[in-house]
Amino acid sequence: MSGRDLTGAEILLEALSDLGVEVIFGYPGGAVLPIYDALHKQRRIRHVLVRHEQGAVHAAEGYARASGKPGVVLVTSGPGATNAVTGITDALMDSIPVVVITGQVATHLIGTDAFQECDTVGITRHCSKHNYLVKETARLAEVVHEAFHIATTGRPGPVVIDLPKDVQVARARYQRPGTIMHRSYRPRIKGDLAAISAAAEMLASAERPILYTGGGIINSGPMASQKLRELAGLTGAPVTSTLMGLGAFPASSPQWLGMLGMHGTYEANMAMNQCDLMVCLGARFDDRVTGRLDGFSPRSAKIHVDIDPSSFNKTVRVDLAIEGDVGHVLDDLVKVWKSRGLRPSVSEEWWNRIRGWRAVRCLAYEQKGPEIEPQHAIARLREAVAHLDPIITTEVGQHQMWAAQHFPFEKPNRWLTSGGLGTMGYGLPAAIGAQVAFPNKLVIDIAGEASILMNIQEMSTAVQYRLPVKVFVLNNEYMGMVRQWQDLTYEGRHAESYTAALPDFVTLAEAFGWKGIRIDTEDQLDAGIAEMLAHPGPVFVDCRVKKHANCFPMIPSGAAHSEMILSQADVSGELDASAEALV
Amino acid sequence: MNAPAPPPAPRPAKPLFPEEPAERHTLSVTVDNEAGVLGRIVGLFSARGYNIESLTVADVSPDHAVSRITIVTTGPRRVIDQIHAQLERLVPVHSVTDLTEAGPHVERELALVKVAGTGEKRVEALRLADIFRARPVDTTTSSFIFEVSGSTSKVDQFIALMREVGLVEVARTGVAAMARGKDPA
């Protein structure tokens, strides 16, 4: 088989098509014109024109996170590539499989400071899982296939392919490559069986176990979620999750403790603090999860399952590390448990303690009067849409944490949020990406009025592709989380955290061709939500909430799990300089 | 609400693993000999705040496909383990061997040492060079360039002595290292 003689641009599209790519999020420019021309001449791959390259990457992330398939981005050289960098870094931090194709100036111009030239592979080297500068058209097909292999296997992440314009124009033979067997990149999928058996025995003998799960379960696929449920059922252990792992375990289960970490529940953090065995499944002991390290679960044995061995002992020392895909490891763990006929030793006393912590009702709030409590807005939204099995995206800030606390999930791939990088402006483009993947599903971006302005231009994209995304803004006129930290650590000096001169969001929405709804008081809340759901197109809801509400519970900077602040009443003074520096 | 007492003031920040002393480790890394691979490795060290004492790189296979990088680094054991794991995570990295950990190995580096002086100092420089088996590779009537090779400490010592007899400048290769015995690392 000799393949067909094609241009580099055509080879790219052939390869993408062979890899099952159905949609590209992109923005044209000089250095990718040959690719756009080739796109124009074919019908297999759709192109979604975003309004800013950062939006393209977040949309691809949303698409990937919701569908489990890799997201694909196409942008031009120079500013196209640099605008994409935030999205690429976001995908790296949250382990999202994304392939970003950037145009580059022609090979003979590289290094001459040509128009719209930048050192894309240099700039993205440390914010991508891997990257390539393709200098020969004949190598392109192989690189594209390898890039997808790397982006989607092991710990997923963004891969950048920088493609000079002359390489897009030159011709070569395209032949679909066989199975990729990389020379050096060979992620381990199956965990070591002896270690898994040891883990099963540890679980069976633990009196106070806890399953601490993360985004790895979502990345591994639906099977991992299924196996997690099975393992929780067999062991009777309570389950908590990181922000990234929400949905992997059903929130309606009596074993569910809620999210852990800085804004996690009291019961989840106390259980982490006092367990005798912690089983970390596809999470990475992030600083937002652990709090102060020397106070982090000081008396527990720890098992860590991760596909990326660099996560082992990075911040927290573990007793048993199992390298492998968490879905496969869970599968083996369940098999070992069953074949050995193991029985749990979870003590009644452990669940009694947990019941005691739950009785604190750390997420309780009081809605009184016309002013809307932000938690109440989310709870009413959840109530109205739960039966529709919606996909929820968020921006970054207080609203994100309130959504994580007050919008429980039953299934994976329904919760798309920027965890590691904490990128304001993530939610709207991510919602667009998710809606492209699932045109008939309800997709809602729970947003803040500051974050939404960071990628507001993508409203135009939603209109162009008739994507009925909903944006539900909790508008308190502040960068709420910034203000909250200023309340907690700077005696309430609100330096630049108030957003003066906010636009009239309803008029703004209408200008973009969206429906705009404003909710001012509690009595308008349910009707506003109903109106949002009744409209078939995109809707922007400007929900005015209490201006000075802060998000609790909270583990303050530099504190341990057992030192949670439960409400505003517990907030005291200024932090000392060393705690302040921790962030 | 049944809130507990206000939390105690957070403690001051401490180093992550204060109990562990720094160790010096020599890592041998084989990589695809492709553009940017050195940048990936050096960038990894700077991005994560790891130390590099020395780093050498050259392609070592007949088809120029594989390069060998020898890195001397210092840090607590935990950090060394992280460096090892982070290096292995890079896509073009074939293998990472911690030679210090793996057992007996040889380490050598080469230095060019320029010394200027006349009279007794010049004679003394030559005499010392002889003791260190340093070879003059360039000579003028008032200067030498010596080539000295050996362990890092031997080279250090030679340079220290040359300071007293008119050291002008030094160029060092950094460490090349290999496990002892018949097997590859």
Side-chain angles (χ1 to χ4, degrees), chain A residues 18-320:
Chain A
D18 280 348
L19 284 157
V21 173
E22 291 162 3
V23 60
I24 294 176
F25 300 91
Y27 202 103
V32 282
L33 283 175
I35 300 172
Y36 273 87
D37 193 52
L39 261 176
H40 193 74
K41 291 177 188 158
Q42 57 85 52
R43 307 205 64 80
R44 285 177 296 176
I45 299 174
R46 268 178 82 197
H47 180 270
V48 173
L49 175 67
V50 295
R51 301 311 194 251
H52 185 285
E53 290 87 350
Q54 184 192 351
V57 188
H58 293 326
E61 287 184 273
Y63 177 88
R65 198 73 175 157
S67 70
K69 293 185 275 188
V72 182
V73 174
L74 173 59
V75 297
T76 193
S77 63
T82 56
N83 277 347
V85 164
T86 301
I88 294 168
T89 312
D90 191 272
L92 182 73
M93 292 288 271
D94 286 344
S95 308
I96 311 295
V98 170
V99 174
V100 180
I101 298 140
T102 55
Q104 183 55 278
V105 300
T107 46
H108 72 274
L109 289 172
I110 290 178
T112 65
D113 299 321
F115 177 65
Q116 291 195 331
E117 182 190 357
C118 75
D119 177 13
T120 303
V121 284
I123 290 168
T124 60
R125 190 169 288 142
H126 306 294
C127 65
S128 60
K129 183 174 176 186
H130 194 50
N131 64 13
Y132 302 87
L133 171 61
V134 184
K135 287 185 165 170
E136 296 154 57
T137 308
R139 280 258 301 141
L140 179 57
E142 183 196 330
V143 166
V144 174
H145 281 261
E146 189 180 287
F148 272 73
H149 175 65
I150 289 172
T152 54
T153 58
R155 180 175 176 175
V159 176
V160 177
I161 304 172
D162 199 25
L163 207 46
K165 200 169 179 183
D166 54 332
V167 176
Q168 300 168 28
V169 176
R171 302 183 83 85
R173 295 211 161 265
Y174 176 70
Q175 196 174 324
R176 186 181 180 151
T179 319
I180 304 278
M181 281 297 279
H182 196 273
R183 295 176 302 282
S184 51
Y185 172 79
R186 304 272 171 86
R188 179 168 184 168
I189 304 301
K190 295 287 276 183
D192 175 56
L193 216 51
I196 292 172
S197 302
E201 296 288 348
M202 285 166 81
L203 251 173
S205 58
E207 290 178 8
R208 302 190 309 279
I210 187 168
L211 304 181
Y212 151 41
T213 67
I217 308 247
I218 314 271
N219 276 333
S220 178
M223 193 265 276
S225 286
Q226 207 43 56
K227 291 292 160 188
L228 169 65
R229 289 155 202 231
E230 217 176 308
L231 184 72
L234 290 170
T235 60
V239 182
T240 182
S241 166
T242 66
L243 182 71
M244 295 309 294
L246 295 177
F249 192 75
S252 58
S253 162
Q255 282 167 268
W256 174 243
L257 300 183
M259 182 175 76
L260 84 164
M262 185 169 271
H263 291 286
T265 65
Y266 186 62
E267 50 268 37
N269 286 327
M270 288 305 285
M272 286 289 278
N273 184 259
Q274 299 195 9
C275 63
D276 66 353
L277 177 69
M278 176 188 298
V279 187
C280 170
L281 300 163
R284 60 182 178 90
F285 297 96
D286 171 80
D287 61 282
R288 285 297 189 267
V289 158
T290 62
R292 197 181 71 232
L293 279 170
D294 62 6
F296 177 72
S297 196
R299 286 171 298 279
S300 62
K302 297 174 185 73
I303 299 171
H304 189 180
V305 180
D306 205 306
I307 201 160
D308 177 1
S310 77
S311 291
F312 299 138
N313 299 315
K314 185 163 67 177
T315 55
V316 170
R317 208 184 287 262
V318 297
D319 301 278
L320 178 63

